[in-house]
Structure formats: C-alpha cells, structure tokens
C-alpha cells in the first residue's frame, strides 16, 4: 500500500480546482456569447420585420383572429367529443354490471334519493290523512 504525500495531494486538489474553474469560465463565456448573438439576431429580425408587419397588419390581424377562433372551435369540439365518448363508455360499463370508477358514489346517491323520496311520500300520505280527518271533523 503506498502512501500519498500531503504535498502531492495538495497539488492534485489544486489542479482539480483549476480544471473546474477553467471549465466553468469556458462554458459561461460561451453561453454569454450565444446570448449576445441571440439578442442581436432578435433586434435585427424585428428591424426587418416591423415594416412588413405594419404594411400587412390589416390582413394579418383578422387572419390571426380567424385562425384563433377556428382552432379554438376545433379544440372545443374535440374535447366535447372525447368527453361524450368517455361518458357513453362509462354508462355502458355501469349498465352492464361492470364496476367503473365512481359507480359506488352513484349507487350511494341513488339510494339516498330513493330513501328521501320514500320518506316524502310517507309524509305526504300522513299529511293527506290529517287533512281528510280535519275536513271530516268540521
């Protein structure tokens, strides 16, 4: 087993630190240059495109609005169609006895509604009998 001298280890750590710093400076500098080039290209593109946009704006604005409305309509229609398809599929599975997600909540709500309707029917019959007896009593 060989021992590493502290001086050799210090030199090794220093060279690693220099390599890390050099890499960071190189990458950072490259990104800064690319950032500057992108900014310059954007400014030049805007300078060239602005007169064209001003000239064609009476056509471009209504065209953009029309395209936006068409795409919005198509997306909405597709979303509604997909939702309807899923609902029909869910209803098919529910009516055929398979147990789709949420079926237990639907069954619980149906039972609660049936129970409430039964209680209201009994209460109405009870009130009807009371009303008949009051009419007979007078």
């Amino acid at each position: 087993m060989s021992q590493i001298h502290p001086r050799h280890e210090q030199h090794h750590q220093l060279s690693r630190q220099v390599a890390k710093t050099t890499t960071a400076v190189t990458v950072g500098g490259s990104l800064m240059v690319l950032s500057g080039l992108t900014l310059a290209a954007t400014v030049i593109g805007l300078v060239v495109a602005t007169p064209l946009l001003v000239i064609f704006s009476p056509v471009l604005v209504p065209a953009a609005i029309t395209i936006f409305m068409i795409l919005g309509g198509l997306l909405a229609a597709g979303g509604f169609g997909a939702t309807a398809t899923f609902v029909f599929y869910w209803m098919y599975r529910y009516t055929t006895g398979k147990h789709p997600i949420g079926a237990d909540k639907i069954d619980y709500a149906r039972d609660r509604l049936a129970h409430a309707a039964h209680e209201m029917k009994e209460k109405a019959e009870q009130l009807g009998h009371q009303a008949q007896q009051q009419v007979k009593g007078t």
Side-chain angles (χ1 to χ4, degrees), residues 33-115:
V33 168
L34 285 174
S35 161
L37 290 174
T38 304
L39 178 63
T42 302
V43 169
I44 291 170
L46 281 174
V47 167
V48 170
T50 300
L52 293 174
L53 289 174
V54 169
I55 291 170
F56 291 112
S57 66
V59 174
L60 292 177
V61 171
I65 292 171
T66 303
I67 288 172
F68 175 74
M69 290 179 69
I70 289 171
L71 289 177
L74 288 174
L75 286 173
F80 292 145
T83 303
T85 302
F86 176 75
V87 168
F88 286 137
Y89 175 69
W90 189 93
M91 288 173 31
Y92 169 76
R93 289 189 51 141
Y94 183 74
T95 56
T96 56
K98 298 175 177 76
H99 194 71
I101 296 173
D104 52 345
K105 292 181 181 180
I106 297 291
D107 292 337
Y108 177 73
R110 184 188 64 220
D111 292 342
R112 291 283 310 250
L113 284 172
H115 181 69

Side-chain angles (χ1 to χ4, degrees), residues 12 18 35-36 45 73 81 98 103 105 111 114 120 123 126 132 134:
H12 185 67
V18 168
S35 161
K98 298 175 177 76
K105 292 181 181 180
D111 292 342
M120 290 186 87
K123 185 73 171 176
Q126 185 181 31
Q132 282 179 350
Q134 282 182 354

